[in-house]
Amino acid sequence: MERRRHCVAAAIALVCAVTALAAPGTAFAAPAAPAAPMVPAALTAPAEPVPPGPPGGARPQQTLEQIRLEIEGLYHQAVSATDAYNLAEDQVQRQSTEIVELGQEAAKAQDRIDDLKQRAGATARAQYRGGGLPPEAQLLLTNDPQLFLDGANRFRQGQKATKDLLREMEQTQQELDSYARDASTQWRKLEENRLKQAKARKEIAAKISAAEKIEARLKKEEKERLLVLEREAAQRAQASWLASGALKGAKGAEGAATEQGKKAVAFATAQLGKPYEWGAEGPGSYDCSGLTSKAWEAAGITVPRTSQEQWRQLPKVDIKDMRPGDLIIYHADASHVGMYVGDGAIVHSPRPGRTVTITGAGANKILGVVRPGG
């Protein structure tokens, strides 16, 4: 009877399974891939579609404009990581210098302590040569009043000198301990920034490699068309910026420039055609902030190495008040910088794969303007 009940239960389960499989609308295939993100109509240039890559790693069919935006996004991320790399490198150099200086100060403090110990030892030896009697007892044993007074005076002076010696030794030891603590702190920061450097370097390489792989799949005529689309996008952005009245009431090209500003502009424009290279400060290649910092250094003014620090530390000015030599900071993360040359244009080192060039100041999203030298 028990066996019969098991058979009946198994039969019912089988019927239920068959019924579920036969039910309309039931599917067991892999879920469909999510729909490709919508691209605004204004961004879809009349460019021919690019065939997808080989099976297995195939990408959805894209227009050249969509590919341009994807490549631009990857390079923007690489440039942002470059700023992080430059900041970490700048901090590593500064901390290395501070550690060396702390070591030098610590060595001086140790020399002082050694000298003080020698002087303290000389005092102890002199006391021993005096028969081991404390100075007070030696004074009481003399019968010469003048000798007593002279000895008392020397004793007071000796007491003060001994106290001063001990006080100086204690203070110097405290300084030495402080140098050691500061050096230890700087070493920790140094290692932290080296790790940040390594992480940023890895991210830069990954983003540039991804962009280059996308470009490598394009035919020669597609790459040429991509450059055209890039220039057209910059021109549209510049036209829109000028039409907004951003430069209404702004000063002319050269009249407002200071002598230092003219020197900075002259240096930057002399680098036209040199390639972008992340982390580079010349003379053969530059990244964006490497170009602007070296240009102002040539004019006799030191500015922060990175675009983010230039934005954070330098005085800000209104766009209508900017003059040649001022630095225009771009994007919400302050990851790009160009130098204003007048008449609504900048000179800048744009991104990997491009060279130092002059373009419209409004070709990218402006965060604000800063002024080196006040």
Side-chain angles (χ1 to χ4, degrees):
M1 192 67 170
E2 184 67 25
R3 183 176 179 183
R4 187 177 176 184
R5 278 201 301 269
H6 281 303
C7 290
V8 171
I12 292 171
L14 179 61
V15 170
C16 290
V18 171
T19 304
L21 287 170
T26 304
F28 294 90
M38 295 295 291
V39 179
L43 295 179
T44 53
E48 65 278 8
V50 179
R59 303 164 57 82
Q61 195 173 33
Q62 293 177 295
T63 66
L64 274 174
E65 175 64 10
Q66 289 171 319
I67 289 175
R68 182 190 73 79
L69 291 172
E70 183 176 4
I71 291 172
E72 184 180 284
L74 287 167
Y75 278 128
H76 174 74
Q77 292 172 53
V79 169
S80 296
T82 297
D83 218 43
Y85 173 88
N86 289 335
L87 180 59
E89 182 180 45
D90 190 53
Q91 290 172 333
V92 163
Q93 292 175 350
R94 186 167 59 253
Q95 285 153 1
S96 297
T97 300
E98 289 177 0
I99 287 170
V100 170
E101 291 174 350
L102 286 167
Q104 292 171 343
E105 292 299 321
K108 292 177 184 177
Q110 187 61 59
D111 288 343
R112 285 203 307 273
I113 288 175
D114 293 341
D115 178 63
L116 291 168
K117 285 181 177 178
Q118 287 179 355
R119 288 162 57 188
T123 301
R125 287 192 296 273
Q127 184 180 17
Y128 177 78
R129 285 195 298 270
L133 290 174
E136 300 95 321
Q138 294 182 34
L139 285 173
L140 291 172
L141 292 175
T142 183
N143 294 321
D144 187 336
Q146 186 60 45
L147 185 61
F148 178 85
L149 292 175
D150 292 343
N153 186 46
R154 285 195 302 273
F155 171 64
R156 283 194 296 270
Q157 292 175 351
Q159 273 190 322
K160 183 179 184 304
T162 300
K163 289 179 180 178
D164 291 344
L165 185 69
L166 294 173
R167 188 181 302 111
E168 185 178 357
M169 189 182 296
E170 182 181 2
Q171 181 178 345
T172 305
Q173 184 62 54
Q174 289 174 352
E175 290 175 4
L176 184 60
D177 293 342
S178 176
Y179 294 144
R181 286 193 301 272
D182 290 346
S184 178
T185 299
Q186 291 303 326
W187 271 115
R188 284 197 302 273
K189 291 180 179 179
L190 183 65
E191 290 306 310
E192 288 172 2
N193 283 309
R194 281 178 175 159
L195 289 173
K196 289 178 183 177
Q197 258 188 302
K199 181 180 178 182
R201 184 188 292 112
K202 186 175 180 181
E203 184 176 352
I204 292 164
K207 299 302 180 184
I208 292 177
S209 176
E212 288 175 343
K213 285 178 181 176
I214 294 173
E215 289 183 292
R217 292 202 299 266
L218 301 177
K219 298 175 183 178
K220 181 181 177 181
E221 57 270 22
E222 291 169 342
K223 292 179 181 178
E224 291 172 353
R225 176 62 179 156
L226 204 62
L227 284 172
V228 172
L229 291 174
E230 189 176 301
R231 286 194 294 269
E232 289 175 349
Q235 289 167 359
R236 287 196 303 271
Q238 174 73 356
S240 175
W241 180 64
L242 292 174
S244 71
L247 288 182
K248 187 176 181 181
K251 299 178 175 65
E254 298 300 332
T258 63
E259 286 304 312
Q260 289 173 315
K262 290 177 183 177
K263 288 180 181 178
V265 169
F267 179 95
T269 52
Q271 314 310 311
L272 290 172
K274 293 184 178 180
Y276 178 102
E277 181 182 355
W278 62 270
E281 300 177 82
S285 58
Y286 296 87
D287 62 23
C288 64
S289 56
L291 176 65
T292 55
S293 60
K294 283 298 180 182
W296 271 102
E297 182 180 301
I301 293 178
T302 300
V303 300
R305 169 64 178 89
T306 70
S307 58
Q308 292 178 345
E309 289 302 295
Q310 288 169 1
W311 173 246
R312 189 175 71 85
Q313 295 185 34
L314 296 178
K316 296 173 177 59
V317 297
D318 195 277
I319 287 179
K320 67 180 179 60
D321 295 325
M322 66 182 175
R323 62 195 185 198
D326 286 348
L327 305 181
I328 302 182
I329 310 297
Y330 293 93
H331 308 304
D333 58 357
S335 58
H336 187 62
V337 59
M339 179 177 290
Y340 188 60
V341 296
D343 293 332
I346 61 165
V347 57
H348 72 148
S349 186
R351 66 163 176 83
R354 298 292 181 261
T355 60
V356 176
T357 187
I358 291 178
T359 189
N364 290 293
K365 180 67 175 177
I366 295 175
L367 177 62
V369 182
V370 295
R371 175 167 295 163

